Amino acid sequence: MPLIEAGGRGGRGPASFGRRAGALALVAAGVVGCADAGEPTTGSVRAAITEGTPTDGDPAVAALRARRVLCPQGHDVDTLCSAVLVAPRVLLTAAHCLSSRRFEEMEAYFGSNVAVLGYHARIIEAHVHPGYDPETRQNDLALLLLAEPAPVRAVQLRGAPLDGGAVGRTIRIVGFGASFEDGDAGAKQTGDTVITSVDATTFRTEAGPSLICGADSGSPALLVEDGVERAVGIARSGDAACEEFGVHTRVDAYLADFVEPYLEAVEAMTPASPEALDPGEDFCARACDEDDDCPAGMLCLPEAFGKRCGYRELRSGLFGDVCGVSADCDGPCVAFGAGSEQTCRCFTPCRELLLASPAPEPAPSAGCAFGTDVHATSPASQGAAALALVALACACATRPRLGSRPRLGRRPRRRSDRG
């Protein structure tokens, strides 16, 4: 039977300590094989914890979501995975949850359902287990650092080794999977499952009556001992129908060499100064080499006129007047920056500026002469002028055949890659 990763999606890696952490390359959209016996190729079914119950408890369990870009900041973005708060600023999740988006393109939602109000926390760093293997899914753990402490209490982690004596025990699972088959994830649910086997780094479960399913990757499995409930595992995968088994990464196997050193380092670190952001900057003219050259939440994207900072869906562009909704603008109203420094601005894609700016005709005697009367009185017009010159230069790079006329201002082909 095909196997589904409980998260369905996920960033690149391995991401290291600091904002310049790379992201994981890559389990594409939750489709990989597994080295564990009896776990065949992954499927793509998405559903909630089976036989689960909606809950407004377990405040430390968070949903990992695509970062909201459009204003007003609604809830119509993908819920990718689940996670659990293990320190005031640190979430523990599955590494494969970072397979399709950079951590800076994600947010952590604390609440009961993403369709209602809750707290969205900015993620500023991802620390993936250095031994994570996307093909076998061994060491499938990652730690995410939040910009500010979350407004909820962290869970306790179980440090005692999990052994064969745990087989047959009932544990509780909590996650943000979809509420119906092929539906949208985002409602927190909980249910009981039963441990069926334990190995060196993982354990398996069967329905008791619940099992993990789509978008539940990274969610905690909780075990009560001596009246205290502690996280004993992190959801990793299960069968495609979410009916036969679930696989969880053991927390205790990674405390000493992975989780605790990171928590100690975070506790000792000095908070970074807020990043200086200027929405008036001409991002159509500003080149970049890598994602870290761009403001939070933006990528360094390949465009027809070079690499520029922008958004995965909207591409690169210029920010204009402050707005509340897209109706205030000629285009979308987009969030710029993050946290308390975030503002909503009207956004104009660089491509539109390029197409709207007629390029000057070349001088008869000089195949690539530029006009000298370009006037730019605003960031948008400056970007348009710069792009028009770039378009002209590109058109002149190849000399036309004798008797033919250069076709200037032609719409550039759209790049199929999205960063």
Side-chain angles (χ1 to χ4, degrees), residues 211-264:
L211 281 172
I212 54 173
C213 204
D216 288 321
S217 275
S219 63
L222 304 164
L223 176 64
V224 176
E225 293 177 311
D226 301 324
V228 179
E229 191 173 53
R230 298 180 177 88
V232 66
I234 296 296
R236 190 182 87 173
S237 58
D239 67 280
C242 307
E243 296 176 348
E244 297 184 8
F245 65 89
V247 182
H248 304 253
T249 300
R250 286 174 48 183
V251 169
D252 65 280
Y254 295 92
L255 274 182
D257 65 350
F258 179 63
V259 177
E260 290 177 345
Y262 187 84
L263 298 185
E264 292 171 1

Short mmCIF file of all heavy atoms in Angstrom, two decimals, residues 211-264:
data_model
loop_
_atom_site.label_atom_id
_atom_site.label_comp_id
_atom_site.label_asym_id
_atom_site.label_seq_id
_atom_site.Cartn_x
_atom_site.Cartn_y
_atom_site.Cartn_z
N LEU A 211 -5.28 7.57 13.90
CA LEU A 211 -3.96 7.52 13.30
C LEU A 211 -3.64 8.89 12.72
O LEU A 211 -4.54 9.66 12.38
CB LEU A 211 -3.90 6.49 12.16
CG LEU A 211 -3.76 5.02 12.53
CD1 LEU A 211 -3.93 4.16 11.28
CD2 LEU A 211 -2.40 4.75 13.18
N ILE A 212 -2.34 9.18 12.60
CA ILE A 212 -1.94 10.42 11.95
C ILE A 212 -2.25 10.32 10.47
O ILE A 212 -2.33 9.24 9.90
CB ILE A 212 -0.43 10.70 12.15
CG1 ILE A 212 0.40 9.49 11.69
CG2 ILE A 212 -0.15 11.07 13.58
CD1 ILE A 212 1.90 9.74 11.70
N CYS A 213 -2.43 11.50 9.82
CA CYS A 213 -2.71 11.52 8.39
C CYS A 213 -2.16 12.82 7.82
O CYS A 213 -1.27 13.44 8.39
CB CYS A 213 -4.21 11.35 8.16
SG CYS A 213 -4.62 10.68 6.53
N GLY A 214 -2.66 13.25 6.65
CA GLY A 214 -2.07 14.38 5.94
C GLY A 214 -2.05 15.66 6.75
O GLY A 214 -2.98 15.97 7.47
N ALA A 215 -0.94 16.43 6.62
CA ALA A 215 -0.69 17.70 7.33
C ALA A 215 -0.50 17.51 8.82
O ALA A 215 -0.44 18.48 9.56
CB ALA A 215 -1.79 18.72 7.05
N ASP A 216 -0.40 16.26 9.28
CA ASP A 216 -0.10 15.99 10.68
C ASP A 216 1.39 15.77 10.91
O ASP A 216 1.81 15.58 12.06
CB ASP A 216 -0.88 14.78 11.19
CG ASP A 216 -2.37 15.06 11.34
OD1 ASP A 216 -2.70 16.17 11.78
OD2 ASP A 216 -3.18 14.19 11.01
N SER A 217 2.19 15.74 9.86
CA SER A 217 3.63 15.59 10.06
C SER A 217 4.15 16.68 11.00
O SER A 217 3.75 17.84 10.91
CB SER A 217 4.38 15.73 8.73
OG SER A 217 4.42 14.52 8.05
N GLY A 218 5.04 16.30 11.89
CA GLY A 218 5.58 17.25 12.85
C GLY A 218 4.77 17.36 14.12
O GLY A 218 5.20 18.02 15.07
N SER A 219 3.58 16.73 14.15
CA SER A 219 2.74 16.83 15.34
C SER A 219 3.26 15.90 16.44
O SER A 219 3.92 14.90 16.16
CB SER A 219 1.29 16.46 14.98
OG SER A 219 1.22 15.12 14.55
N PRO A 220 2.96 16.20 17.70
CA PRO A 220 3.48 15.39 18.80
C PRO A 220 2.60 14.20 19.13
O PRO A 220 1.38 14.22 18.96
CB PRO A 220 3.47 16.39 19.96
CG PRO A 220 2.29 17.27 19.69
CD PRO A 220 2.26 17.42 18.18
N ALA A 221 3.25 13.14 19.60
CA ALA A 221 2.57 12.02 20.24
C ALA A 221 2.85 12.16 21.73
O ALA A 221 4.01 12.32 22.15
CB ALA A 221 3.11 10.69 19.72
N LEU A 222 1.80 12.12 22.54
CA LEU A 222 1.90 12.44 23.97
C LEU A 222 1.59 11.23 24.83
O LEU A 222 0.60 10.53 24.61
CB LEU A 222 0.94 13.59 24.30
CG LEU A 222 1.13 14.86 23.45
CD1 LEU A 222 -0.08 15.78 23.56
CD2 LEU A 222 2.39 15.59 23.87
N LEU A 223 2.46 11.01 25.81
CA LEU A 223 2.33 9.85 26.69
C LEU A 223 2.22 10.34 28.14
O LEU A 223 3.01 11.17 28.58
CB LEU A 223 3.55 8.94 26.54
CG LEU A 223 3.62 7.71 27.45
CD1 LEU A 223 2.48 6.75 27.16
CD2 LEU A 223 4.98 7.02 27.27
N VAL A 224 1.22 9.82 28.86
CA VAL A 224 1.03 10.18 30.26
C VAL A 224 1.76 9.19 31.16
O VAL A 224 1.55 7.98 31.06
CB VAL A 224 -0.47 10.21 30.62
CG1 VAL A 224 -0.65 10.51 32.12
CG2 VAL A 224 -1.21 11.24 29.79
N GLU A 225 2.62 9.71 32.02
CA GLU A 225 3.33 8.90 33.01
C GLU A 225 3.37 9.66 34.33
O GLU A 225 3.72 10.84 34.36
CB GLU A 225 4.77 8.60 32.55
CG GLU A 225 4.83 7.70 31.32
CD GLU A 225 6.25 7.49 30.85
OE1 GLU A 225 6.99 8.50 30.71
OE2 GLU A 225 6.64 6.34 30.64
N ASP A 226 2.99 8.99 35.40
CA ASP A 226 2.97 9.61 36.72
C ASP A 226 2.15 10.89 36.73
O ASP A 226 2.49 11.88 37.39
CB ASP A 226 4.40 9.91 37.20
CG ASP A 226 5.27 8.67 37.28
OD1 ASP A 226 4.73 7.60 37.64
OD2 ASP A 226 6.47 8.76 36.96
N GLY A 227 1.08 10.89 35.94
CA GLY A 227 0.17 12.03 35.92
C GLY A 227 0.65 13.20 35.08
O GLY A 227 -0.02 14.24 35.04
N VAL A 228 1.79 13.05 34.40
CA VAL A 228 2.34 14.14 33.57
C VAL A 228 2.37 13.68 32.11
O VAL A 228 2.84 12.59 31.80
CB VAL A 228 3.77 14.52 34.03
CG1 VAL A 228 4.33 15.62 33.13
CG2 VAL A 228 3.76 14.96 35.48
N GLU A 229 1.86 14.52 31.22
CA GLU A 229 1.85 14.20 29.79
C GLU A 229 3.07 14.83 29.12
O GLU A 229 3.31 16.03 29.23
CB GLU A 229 0.57 14.72 29.15
CG GLU A 229 0.34 14.21 27.74
CD GLU A 229 -1.01 14.62 27.20
OE1 GLU A 229 -1.32 15.82 27.23
OE2 GLU A 229 -1.77 13.73 26.74
N ARG A 230 3.85 13.99 28.44
CA ARG A 230 5.07 14.47 27.78
C ARG A 230 5.08 14.03 26.32
O ARG A 230 4.49 13.00 25.97
CB ARG A 230 6.32 13.92 28.48
CG ARG A 230 6.49 14.34 29.92
CD ARG A 230 7.75 13.75 30.52
NE ARG A 230 7.98 14.18 31.90
CZ ARG A 230 7.50 13.58 32.97
NH1 ARG A 230 6.76 12.49 32.82
NH2 ARG A 230 7.76 14.04 34.17
N ALA A 231 5.77 14.80 25.49
CA ALA A 231 5.92 14.44 24.07
C ALA A 231 6.93 13.31 23.96
O ALA A 231 8.06 13.42 24.42
CB ALA A 231 6.38 15.64 23.27
N VAL A 232 6.50 12.21 23.33
CA VAL A 232 7.35 11.04 23.19
C VAL A 232 7.76 10.81 21.74
O VAL A 232 8.72 10.11 21.46
CB VAL A 232 6.64 9.80 23.76
CG1 VAL A 232 5.40 9.46 22.94
CG2 VAL A 232 7.56 8.61 23.86
N GLY A 233 7.03 11.42 20.79
CA GLY A 233 7.33 11.22 19.38
C GLY A 233 6.86 12.38 18.54
O GLY A 233 6.04 13.20 18.96
N ILE A 234 7.40 12.44 17.30
CA ILE A 234 7.02 13.45 16.31
C ILE A 234 6.55 12.70 15.05
O ILE A 234 7.28 11.86 14.51
CB ILE A 234 8.19 14.39 15.97
CG1 ILE A 234 8.60 15.18 17.20
CG2 ILE A 234 7.83 15.33 14.82
CD1 ILE A 234 7.54 16.13 17.74
N ALA A 235 5.35 13.02 14.58
CA ALA A 235 4.76 12.30 13.44
C ALA A 235 5.62 12.41 12.20
O ALA A 235 6.08 13.49 11.84
CB ALA A 235 3.36 12.85 13.16
N ARG A 236 5.82 11.27 11.54
CA ARG A 236 6.67 11.22 10.35
C ARG A 236 5.90 10.75 9.11
O ARG A 236 5.95 11.39 8.07
CB ARG A 236 7.85 10.28 10.60
CG ARG A 236 8.91 10.36 9.52
CD ARG A 236 10.04 9.37 9.78
NE ARG A 236 9.76 8.05 9.23
CZ ARG A 236 10.66 7.05 9.22
NH1 ARG A 236 11.84 7.23 9.78
NH2 ARG A 236 10.35 5.88 8.70
N SER A 237 5.21 9.63 9.19
CA SER A 237 4.56 9.08 8.00
C SER A 237 3.54 8.03 8.40
O SER A 237 3.40 7.68 9.57
CB SER A 237 5.60 8.46 7.06
OG SER A 237 6.33 7.44 7.74
N GLY A 238 2.84 7.51 7.37
CA GLY A 238 1.87 6.44 7.59
C GLY A 238 1.38 5.93 6.25
O GLY A 238 1.83 6.39 5.20
N ASP A 239 0.47 4.97 6.26
CA ASP A 239 -0.04 4.46 4.99
C ASP A 239 -0.97 5.48 4.35
O ASP A 239 -1.53 6.34 5.02
CB ASP A 239 -0.76 3.13 5.20
CG ASP A 239 -2.03 3.28 6.00
OD1 ASP A 239 -1.95 3.38 7.25
OD2 ASP A 239 -3.12 3.31 5.40
N ALA A 240 -1.13 5.38 3.01
CA ALA A 240 -1.87 6.40 2.26
C ALA A 240 -3.31 6.53 2.68
O ALA A 240 -3.88 7.62 2.66
CB ALA A 240 -1.78 6.10 0.76
N ALA A 241 -3.94 5.42 3.07
CA ALA A 241 -5.34 5.47 3.47
C ALA A 241 -5.51 5.90 4.93
O ALA A 241 -6.64 6.10 5.37
CB ALA A 241 -5.99 4.11 3.26
N CYS A 242 -4.41 6.04 5.66
CA CYS A 242 -4.47 6.42 7.07
C CYS A 242 -5.31 5.43 7.87
O CYS A 242 -6.08 5.81 8.76
CB CYS A 242 -5.01 7.84 7.24
SG CYS A 242 -4.15 9.07 6.25
N GLU A 243 -5.17 4.14 7.55
CA GLU A 243 -5.97 3.11 8.21
C GLU A 243 -5.14 2.02 8.87
O GLU A 243 -5.64 1.31 9.73
CB GLU A 243 -6.90 2.43 7.18
CG GLU A 243 -7.94 3.36 6.58
CD GLU A 243 -8.77 2.68 5.51
OE1 GLU A 243 -8.37 1.56 5.09
OE2 GLU A 243 -9.79 3.25 5.10
N GLU A 244 -3.86 1.88 8.46
CA GLU A 244 -3.09 0.73 8.92
C GLU A 244 -2.04 1.06 9.97
O GLU A 244 -1.93 0.36 10.97
CB GLU A 244 -2.41 0.06 7.72
CG GLU A 244 -3.40 -0.50 6.71
CD GLU A 244 -2.71 -1.23 5.58
OE1 GLU A 244 -1.47 -1.44 5.68
OE2 GLU A 244 -3.37 -1.58 4.61
N PHE A 245 -1.23 2.10 9.74
CA PHE A 245 -0.15 2.38 10.69
C PHE A 245 0.30 3.84 10.57
O PHE A 245 0.05 4.52 9.58
CB PHE A 245 1.05 1.46 10.45
CG PHE A 245 1.73 1.69 9.12
CD1 PHE A 245 2.77 2.61 8.98
CD2 PHE A 245 1.34 0.97 7.99
CE1 PHE A 245 3.39 2.81 7.76
CE2 PHE A 245 1.96 1.16 6.76
CZ PHE A 245 2.99 2.09 6.65
N GLY A 246 0.97 4.27 11.61
CA GLY A 246 1.65 5.56 11.61
C GLY A 246 3.08 5.34 12.09
O GLY A 246 3.36 4.39 12.82
N VAL A 247 3.99 6.20 11.65
CA VAL A 247 5.39 6.13 12.07
C VAL A 247 5.76 7.46 12.73
O VAL A 247 5.50 8.53 12.17
CB VAL A 247 6.33 5.85 10.89
CG1 VAL A 247 7.77 5.74 11.37
CG2 VAL A 247 5.92 4.57 10.15
N HIS A 248 6.38 7.38 13.90
CA HIS A 248 6.76 8.57 14.66
C HIS A 248 8.26 8.49 14.99
O HIS A 248 8.79 7.42 15.29
CB HIS A 248 5.98 8.65 15.98
CG HIS A 248 4.49 8.64 15.79
ND1 HIS A 248 3.71 9.76 15.97
CD2 HIS A 248 3.64 7.63 15.44
CE1 HIS A 248 2.45 9.45 15.74
NE2 HIS A 248 2.38 8.16 15.43
N THR A 249 8.92 9.63 14.94
CA THR A 249 10.32 9.71 15.34
C THR A 249 10.39 9.83 16.86
O THR A 249 9.70 10.66 17.46
CB THR A 249 11.01 10.93 14.70
OG1 THR A 249 10.93 10.80 13.27
CG2 THR A 249 12.47 11.01 15.10
N ARG A 250 11.19 9.00 17.48
CA ARG A 250 11.34 9.04 18.94
C ARG A 250 12.04 10.31 19.40
O ARG A 250 13.14 10.64 18.93
CB ARG A 250 12.14 7.83 19.43
CG ARG A 250 11.38 6.52 19.40
CD ARG A 250 12.29 5.36 19.74
NE ARG A 250 13.13 5.59 20.94
CZ ARG A 250 14.04 4.75 21.39
NH1 ARG A 250 14.23 3.59 20.75
NH2 ARG A 250 14.74 5.02 22.46
N VAL A 251 11.45 11.02 20.34
CA VAL A 251 12.06 12.24 20.87
C VAL A 251 13.29 11.92 21.71
O VAL A 251 14.33 12.58 21.61
CB VAL A 251 11.03 13.03 21.70
CG1 VAL A 251 11.72 14.16 22.47
CG2 VAL A 251 9.94 13.60 20.79
N ASP A 252 13.19 10.88 22.55
CA ASP A 252 14.29 10.59 23.48
C ASP A 252 15.60 10.27 22.77
O ASP A 252 16.69 10.52 23.29
CB ASP A 252 13.90 9.43 24.41
CG ASP A 252 13.74 8.12 23.64
OD1 ASP A 252 12.66 7.93 23.03
OD2 ASP A 252 14.67 7.30 23.63
N ALA A 253 15.51 9.71 21.55
CA ALA A 253 16.71 9.31 20.82
C ALA A 253 17.51 10.51 20.32
O ALA A 253 18.67 10.36 19.92
CB ALA A 253 16.34 8.42 19.63
N TYR A 254 16.92 11.72 20.35
CA TYR A 254 17.57 12.89 19.77
C TYR A 254 17.74 14.04 20.77
O TYR A 254 18.20 15.11 20.40
CB TYR A 254 16.77 13.38 18.57
CG TYR A 254 16.74 12.39 17.44
CD1 TYR A 254 15.72 11.44 17.35
CD2 TYR A 254 17.74 12.38 16.48
CE1 TYR A 254 15.69 10.51 16.32
CE2 TYR A 254 17.72 11.46 15.45
CZ TYR A 254 16.70 10.53 15.37
OH TYR A 254 16.69 9.62 14.34
N LEU A 255 17.37 13.81 22.02
CA LEU A 255 17.47 14.90 23.00
C LEU A 255 18.91 15.35 23.22
O LEU A 255 19.23 16.54 23.12
CB LEU A 255 16.86 14.46 24.33
CG LEU A 255 15.35 14.64 24.52
CD1 LEU A 255 14.94 14.18 25.91
CD2 LEU A 255 14.96 16.09 24.30
N ALA A 256 19.79 14.42 23.54
CA ALA A 256 21.14 14.78 23.99
C ALA A 256 21.99 15.41 22.89
O ALA A 256 22.73 16.36 23.13
CB ALA A 256 21.85 13.55 24.56
N ASP A 257 21.88 14.89 21.65
CA ASP A 257 22.80 15.36 20.62
C ASP A 257 22.19 16.35 19.63
O ASP A 257 22.88 16.90 18.78
CB ASP A 257 23.39 14.18 19.84
CG ASP A 257 22.33 13.42 19.06
OD1 ASP A 257 21.13 13.69 19.27
OD2 ASP A 257 22.70 12.55 18.24
N PHE A 258 20.89 16.59 19.73
CA PHE A 258 20.26 17.49 18.76
C PHE A 258 19.38 18.55 19.41
O PHE A 258 19.59 19.75 19.22
CB PHE A 258 19.45 16.68 17.75
CG PHE A 258 18.74 17.51 16.72
CD1 PHE A 258 19.46 18.28 15.82
CD2 PHE A 258 17.34 17.52 16.65
CE1 PHE A 258 18.80 19.06 14.86
CE2 PHE A 258 16.68 18.29 15.70
CZ PHE A 258 17.42 19.06 14.81
N VAL A 259 18.39 18.14 20.17
CA VAL A 259 17.42 19.09 20.71
C VAL A 259 18.01 19.96 21.81
O VAL A 259 17.96 21.20 21.75
CB VAL A 259 16.16 18.35 21.22
CG1 VAL A 259 15.17 19.35 21.84
CG2 VAL A 259 15.50 17.60 20.07
N GLU A 260 18.56 19.33 22.84
CA GLU A 260 19.03 20.10 23.99
C GLU A 260 20.16 21.08 23.66
O GLU A 260 20.15 22.22 24.15
CB GLU A 260 19.44 19.16 25.12
CG GLU A 260 18.23 18.45 25.75
CD GLU A 260 18.62 17.46 26.83
OE1 GLU A 260 19.82 17.10 26.90
OE2 GLU A 260 17.73 17.04 27.60
N PRO A 261 21.18 20.71 22.86
CA PRO A 261 22.21 21.70 22.51
C PRO A 261 21.64 22.93 21.81
O PRO A 261 22.09 24.05 22.05
CB PRO A 261 23.14 20.92 21.57
CG PRO A 261 22.97 19.49 21.98
CD PRO A 261 21.52 19.37 22.33
N TYR A 262 20.65 22.74 20.97
CA TYR A 262 20.05 23.88 20.28
C TYR A 262 19.28 24.77 21.26
O TYR A 262 19.37 26.00 21.22
CB TYR A 262 19.12 23.40 19.18
CG TYR A 262 18.59 24.52 18.30
CD1 TYR A 262 19.33 25.01 17.24
CD2 TYR A 262 17.34 25.08 18.56
CE1 TYR A 262 18.85 26.03 16.44
CE2 TYR A 262 16.85 26.11 17.77
CZ TYR A 262 17.60 26.58 16.71
OH TYR A 262 17.12 27.60 15.94
N LEU A 263 18.52 24.15 22.16
CA LEU A 263 17.77 24.94 23.13
C LEU A 263 18.70 25.74 24.02
O LEU A 263 18.42 26.90 24.36
CB LEU A 263 16.89 24.01 23.99
CG LEU A 263 15.82 23.20 23.24
CD1 LEU A 263 14.96 22.44 24.24
CD2 LEU A 263 14.97 24.09 22.37
N GLU A 264 19.83 25.14 24.40
CA GLU A 264 20.80 25.86 25.22
C GLU A 264 21.41 27.03 24.44
O GLU A 264 21.62 28.12 24.99
CB GLU A 264 21.91 24.90 25.67
CG GLU A 264 21.41 23.85 26.66
CD GLU A 264 22.45 22.78 26.94
OE1 GLU A 264 23.56 22.87 26.35
OE2 GLU A 264 22.16 21.85 27.72
#
